């Protein structure tokens, strides 16, 4: 571990040098981010999992930067280009981009006007011209010395020398940085109609517009770039070149220069227009794309986190209903632990409507299994199925609640290898109903089985960096699953595979072992699982829970390495009586740390505590069954299903979610919908402000 690496990371994080050193050591030892965040707080300065994920990015980038610095220094040293000035510039570079700018002048120029001029021996002439001490006539005289079989005249010699000077200007890393900043702050994107442009198409509003690079919103960038890929739009970067040329005259050419300054200026102008600006304009578009991609990925991660931390509905037997018209409504019952009990199909809606038989079937399932809640998918026939369920409950005076849940991704799960592994003998349609029921019982446990890209959250997911998106979604899921904890006796192998230290293969081994012993009674029994060694046990065990085990501690996030301290604490003190000002003294007495002791006390006060908030049930307006029933001014309620940069999509009980535009979310100005809204948030008193029957779109307002 080098001091340079620690120094680089320290500049880009708020962590101390000691914490940085400790985190790197822990990672090298095979510790995971969730484990370090929860059980090594004293080593990290109490860094959160979010802090550690940010550290991870900086750490990886800093390693790449240092490695590339070393490579460039070695390359330049081999070519005898390395001097103290260049070496200092390389060592001071803070980014990979700055590093490549410094290295650019030393790269071989192949098949270019510059390389041709260099091969023809014109570098000395370029030096003569660029020193700005000679008149044009004197330059003409000196150019005669460079006429040869390839260079036929003075003019050719001077033109070749100007090509070299143009390249030098284009390669100057300080000039690059200045221009890059100018494009970023003052540049514009000009958007024109493309070859495949449709005047009534989705991108028609973008055509013939100009956007300031500095202020363009991420979602607009991604939409424009998608349209460019589809050849519906074309774009180019525009910058005030006249202003740049005036700056070159003012700052790059000294006032004392001789008349040869005109030749140098022409060369700089050529370097600017032919070499530097085109590459920086391409780079500006790439930078915009990367920034938009990064922001979209962040939003995707935030939405996924909110979706997964939706509160569970505990101790309930749930009937899942997957609505449908022609194919009927698929039913599936799961128990308190999410175990599948039974299934059926009913036809409560047209065209095969048989309300009486449907009532009998549902009532029989409710009675047989003691169903206490109903989950209804929000897709096709959802509203009609909800009405059927509502009438059934009222007519039979049942003490049962029903809720509409998002069914997006349920069909993806139904046909997946995970579903086939879990329910090999069930039809895919019944698996979908099980998934819908599971979303009400434990959204996190159910949704982790589905690729997050299939959950209908975020924006322009196919246009962003797929590798970065995958990593973000994986890390978001891992961090939340570990923060919440997992019931060892009811978790699926997929849910277990997100636990710190547990691979998918190891998770399957745990399930196989659990099936053999019926249930785990103690966390220590994990050590008997095939392939689960001491390191995996250390990393995983704190995030697992056993509800009715031999020890109450096994239903907490207290790590077994702290059980001795915990038992000594319980012997000497009444947990409820301990005050904050006693923590340090008790920690010293028990030979532990205040941070660790505080966590232990919190866990003992609430064994089995779930950090997810309480469940909310939405009440839909019962008189709205289709978009044709809506009129401007109607007041509805709904659930936020997705959040984007430009607004939120709200489930109001129709087939398509309605748009709540950012301008309609709050009376106060907000920069992003997520400042006010969150995924699965229940909204009351939403006003309908527009109804487009042709496009099947509804606009809403909270104002």
């Amino acid at each position: 571990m080098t001091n340079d690496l620690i120094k680089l990371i320290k500049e880009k994080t708020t962590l101390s040098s000691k914490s940085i050193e400790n985190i790197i050591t822990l990672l090298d030892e095979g510790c995971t981010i969730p484990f370090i965040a929860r059980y090594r707080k004293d080593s990290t300065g109490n860094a959160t999992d979010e802090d550690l994920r940010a550290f991870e990015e900086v750490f990886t980038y800093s390693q790449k930067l240092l490695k590339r610095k070393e490579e460039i220094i070695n390359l330049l040293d081999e070519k005898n280009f390395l001097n103290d000035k260049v070496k200092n510039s390389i060592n001071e570079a803070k980014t990979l981009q700055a590093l490549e700018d410094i290295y650019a002048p030393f790269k071989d120029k192949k098949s270019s006007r510059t390389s041709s001029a260099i091969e023809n021996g014109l570098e000395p002439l370029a030096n003569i011209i660029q020193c700005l001490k000679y008149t044009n006539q004197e330059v003409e005289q000196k150019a005669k010395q460079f006429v040869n079989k390839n260079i036929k005249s003075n003019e050719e010699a001077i033109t070749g020398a100007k090509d070299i000077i143009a390249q030098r200007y284009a390669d100057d890393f300080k000039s690059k940085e200045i221009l890059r900043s100018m494009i970023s702050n003052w540049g514009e994107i000009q958007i024109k109609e493309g070859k495949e442009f449709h005047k009534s198409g989705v991108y028609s509003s973008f055509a013939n517009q100009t956007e300031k690079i500095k202020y363009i919103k991420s979602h607009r960038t991604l939409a424009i770039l998608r349209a460019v890929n589809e050849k519906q739009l074309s774009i180019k970067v525009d910058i005030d070149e006249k202003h740049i040329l005036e700056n070159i005259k003012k700052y790059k050419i000294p006032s004392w220069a001789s008349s040869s300054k005109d030749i140098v200026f022409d060369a700089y102008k050529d370097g600017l227009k032919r070499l530097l600006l085109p590459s920086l304009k391409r780079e500006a578009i790439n930078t915009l794309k990367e920034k938009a991609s990064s922001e979209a990925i962040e939003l995707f991660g935030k939405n996924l986190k909110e979706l997964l931390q939706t509160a569970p509905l505990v101790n309930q037997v749930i009937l899942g209903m997957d609505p449908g018209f022609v194919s009927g409504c698929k039913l599936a019952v799961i128990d308190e632990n999410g175990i599948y009990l039974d299934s059926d199909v009913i036809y409560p809606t047209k065209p095969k409507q048989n309300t009486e038989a449907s009532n009998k079937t549902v009532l029989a399932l409710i009675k047989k299994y003691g169903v206490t809640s109903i989950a209804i998918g929000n897709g096709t026939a959802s509203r009609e199925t909800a009405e059927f369920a509502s009438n059934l409950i009222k007519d039979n005076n049942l003490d049962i609640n029903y809720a509409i849940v998002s069914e997006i991704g349920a069909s993806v799960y139904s046909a997946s290898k995970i579903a086939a592994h879990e329910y090999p003998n069930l039809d895919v349609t019944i698996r979908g109903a099980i998934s819908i029921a599971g979303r009400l019982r434990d959204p996190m446990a159910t949704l982790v089985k589905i690729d997050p890209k299939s959950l209908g959250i975020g924006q322009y997911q196919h246009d962003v960096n797929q590798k970065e998106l995958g990593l973000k979604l994986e890390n978001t899921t891992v961090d939340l699953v570990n923060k919440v904890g997992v019931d060892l006796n009811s978790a699926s192998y997929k849910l277990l595979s997100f636990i710190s230290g547990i691979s998918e293969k190891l998770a399957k081994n745990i399930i196989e072992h659990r099936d053999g012993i019926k249930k785990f009674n103690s966390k220590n029994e994990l050590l008997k699982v095939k392939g689960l060694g001491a390191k995996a046990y250390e990393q995983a065990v704190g995030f697992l829970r056993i509800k009715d085990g031999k020890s109450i501690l096994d239903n907490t996030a207290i790590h077994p390495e702290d059980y001795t301290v915990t038992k000594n604490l319980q012997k000497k003190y009444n947990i409820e009586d301990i005050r904050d000002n006693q923590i340090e003294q008790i920690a010293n007495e028990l030979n532990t740390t205040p941070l660790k002791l505080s966590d232990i006390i919190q866990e003992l006060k609430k064994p089995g505590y779930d950090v997810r908030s309480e469940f909310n049930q939405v009440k839909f307006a019962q008189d709205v069954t289709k978009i044709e029933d809506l009129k401007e001014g109607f007041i509805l309620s709904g659930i936020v299903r997705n959040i984007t940069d430009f607004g939120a999509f709200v489930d109001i009980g129709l087939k398509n979610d309605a748009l709540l535009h950012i301008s309609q979310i709050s009376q106060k100005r907000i920069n992003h919908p997520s400042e006010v809204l969150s995924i699965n948030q229940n909204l009351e008193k939403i006003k309908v402000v527009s109804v487009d029957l042709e496009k099947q779109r509804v606009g809403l307002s909270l104002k």
Side-chain angles (χ1 to χ4, degrees), residues 374 388-398 400-402:
I374 297 173
F388 162 76
S390 178
N391 291 333
L392 179 82
I393 291 166
K394 285 177 193 169
D395 295 346
N396 294 278
N397 198 24
L398 300 173
I400 291 177
N401 290 320
Y402 78 88

Side-chain angles (χ1 to χ4, degrees), residues 165-172 175 179 248 252 268 271-272 276:
I165 296 167
Q167 188 70 59
R168 287 173 180 173
Y169 171 77
D171 284 343
D172 178 51
S175 296
L179 274 175
I248 288 173
K252 294 286 288 182
Y268 285 170
L272 174 75
L276 190 50

Side-chain angles (χ1 to χ4, degrees), residues 435-578:
S435 181
I436 287 168
R439 290 164 194 230
L440 192 58
R441 189 194 80 85
D442 192 333
M444 183 181 79
T446 303
L447 296 174
V448 295
K449 299 173 186 177
I450 301 165
D451 181 351
K453 295 173 193 174
S454 300
L455 293 176
I457 52 175
Q459 58 187 17
Y460 296 100
Q461 66 186 54
H462 301 295
D463 301 276
V464 302
N465 185 304
Q466 294 301 298
K467 187 178 177 183
E468 288 177 16
L469 176 62
L471 183 62
K472 179 70 179 180
L473 300 179
E474 173 80 11
N475 288 343
T476 298
T477 307
V478 165
D479 291 345
L480 188 65
V481 168
N482 285 280
K483 192 173 280 186
V484 170
V486 166
D487 180 2
L488 191 50
N489 283 320
S490 66
S492 66
Y493 83 85
K494 190 64 183 177
L495 183 59
L496 281 171
S497 73
F498 288 103
I499 288 292
S500 166
I502 297 179
S503 65
E504 202 157 285
K505 183 181 178 184
L506 193 50
K508 287 179 179 177
N509 288 352
I510 292 171
I511 299 295
E512 191 179 324
H513 186 84
R514 185 179 73 194
D515 291 343
I517 63 171
K518 302 306 177 192
K519 66 175 286 194
F520 286 95
N521 292 302
S522 165
K523 287 184 178 182
N524 282 337
E525 292 172 23
L526 273 168
L527 291 166
K528 295 176 184 176
V529 173
K530 181 185 173 184
L532 200 151
K535 192 67 185 180
Y537 179 80
E538 175 202 52
Q539 296 297 303
V541 67
F543 304 109
L544 299 169
R545 308 282 183 271
I546 299 175
K547 287 179 182 174
D548 304 310
K550 291 177 182 176
S551 169
I552 190 71
L553 299 186
D554 284 351
N555 195 27
T556 70
I558 298 170
H559 200 284
E561 67 186 10
D562 297 318
Y563 279 5
T564 301
V565 169
T566 306
K567 286 169 183 173
N568 288 337
L569 174 70
Q570 289 174 305
K571 282 177 191 173
K572 294 184 177 184
Y573 294 92
N574 182 338
I575 303 303
E576 298 297 333
D577 294 339
I578 297 173

Side-chain angles (χ1 to χ4, degrees), residues 576-632:
E576 298 297 333
D577 294 339
I578 297 173
R579 298 291 171 259
D580 290 345
N581 59 6
Q582 296 176 275
I583 297 288
E584 195 164 344
Q585 169 240 315
I586 297 172
N588 289 333
E589 184 186 323
L590 297 174
N591 196 27
T592 188
T593 66
L595 276 174
K596 189 159 276 195
L597 184 65
S598 294
D599 283 345
I600 290 169
I601 290 168
Q602 283 301 111
E603 287 298 316
L604 289 174
K605 283 182 176 178
K606 294 180 178 179
Y609 175 68
D610 193 322
V611 298
R612 294 170 289 179
S613 56
E614 289 186 10
F615 172 75
N616 287 313
Q617 183 185 348
V618 70
K619 295 180 178 65
F620 290 107
Q622 293 299 314
D623 56 346
V624 178
T625 60
K626 53 188 182 296
I627 193 169
E628 287 77 11
D629 294 332
L630 282 179
K631 287 187 173 57
E632 288 181 24

Side-chain angles (χ1 to χ4, degrees), residues 270-298:
D270 177 49
L272 174 75
K273 292 195 168 193
R274 180 171 58 87
L275 301 171
L276 190 50
L277 274 182
S279 69
L280 288 181
K281 285 178 178 181
R282 285 193 299 272
E283 184 188 283
I285 291 172
N286 285 334
T287 301
L288 263 180
K289 183 179 180 180
E290 285 169 12
K291 179 176 176 283
S293 177
S294 179
E295 288 179 7
I297 287 168
E298 278 300 311

